[in-house]
């Protein structure tokens, strides 16, 4: 990936190992985030009803937050390697918009106590959550092909 005039972290884009290492960290983060969210979302939809929701959430949600931390760290460093190029990328801009929307949806889900209620709204919000994260993954992969 061509680097911008911004030299601070431009070496990342030129490095034979740094950018692939960051992309790999990004993908590990995605696996931890989406993999653990899916477990909780399946439970909200009524699967594995014998699994106590609070115990499952206590185990899965901190790992998904760790995953998002890895994604954000690696994503910002990859962004910093070529900010001009990514800022002019329509797909990257839409992707970050969907990340913010997914974050807002998650905040509203927990603010209304979705894990305790497990009602129709909670099921809709978890379906929206999964849809948004899958869309973000598709757009993330698409950036390199724009
Ligand atoms: C938190 C903010 C995020 C930032 C700043 C960010 C930034 C980036 C950047 C700069 C790239 C590299 C584009 C390229 O070189 O082709 C990328 C790739 C990617 N991103 Fe993100 N991203 C973020 C969040 C996410 C999230 C939440 C997901 C999925 C849940 C995601 C999925 C992907 C995927 C699948 C790729 C392609 C990786 C590859 O081809 O190796 N990103 N992201």
């Amino acid at each position: 990936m061509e680097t911008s005039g911004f030299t601070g972290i431009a070496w990342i884009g030129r490095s034979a190992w740094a950018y692939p290492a960051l992309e790999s960290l990004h993908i590990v983060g995605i696996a931890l985030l989406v993999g653990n969210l899916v477990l909780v979302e399946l439970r909200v939809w009524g699967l594995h009803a014998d699994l106590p929701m609070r115990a499952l959430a206590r185990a899965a949600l901190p790992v998904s937050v760790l995953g998002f931390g890895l994604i954000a760290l690696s994503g910002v460093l990859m962004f910093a390697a070529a900010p001009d190029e990514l800022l002019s990328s329509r797909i990257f801009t839409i992707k970050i918009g969907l990340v913010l929307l997914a974050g807002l949806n998650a905040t509203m889900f927990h603010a209304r106590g979705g894990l305790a209620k497990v009602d129709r709204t909670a099921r809709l919000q978890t379906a929206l959550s999964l849809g948004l994260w899958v869309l973000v993954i598709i757009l993330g992969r698409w950036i390199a092909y724009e």
Side-chain angles (χ1 to χ4, degrees), residues 1 19 23 26-27 30 33-34 68 71-72 75-76 78-79 86 92 95-96 99 133 136-137 140-141 143-144:
M1 178 169 279
Y19 206 87
E23 281 186 317
H26 210 60
I27 292 169
I30 297 164
L33 171 73
V34 179
F68 189 80
I71 292 171
V76 167
M78 288 192 288
F79 173 80
L86 286 161
F92 179 75
K95 174 189 164 190
I96 298 303
V99 170
W133 290 125
V136 168
I137 291 169
R141 188 65 279 238
I143 295 169

Side-chain angles (χ1 to χ4, degrees), residues 32-33 35-44 47-66 106 109-110 113-118 126:
L32 294 178
L33 171 73
N36 283 279
L37 280 183
V38 165
L39 281 181
V40 174
E41 287 165 357
L42 289 174
R43 179 63 184 78
V44 170
L47 274 76
H48 313 300
D50 56 324
L51 268 181
M53 175 66 84
R54 288 218 162 280
L56 175 63
R58 233 188 350 263
L61 294 183
V63 183
S64 66
V65 172
L66 169 69
F109 174 84
H110 291 291
L115 286 178
K117 288 199 174 117
V118 195
T126 45

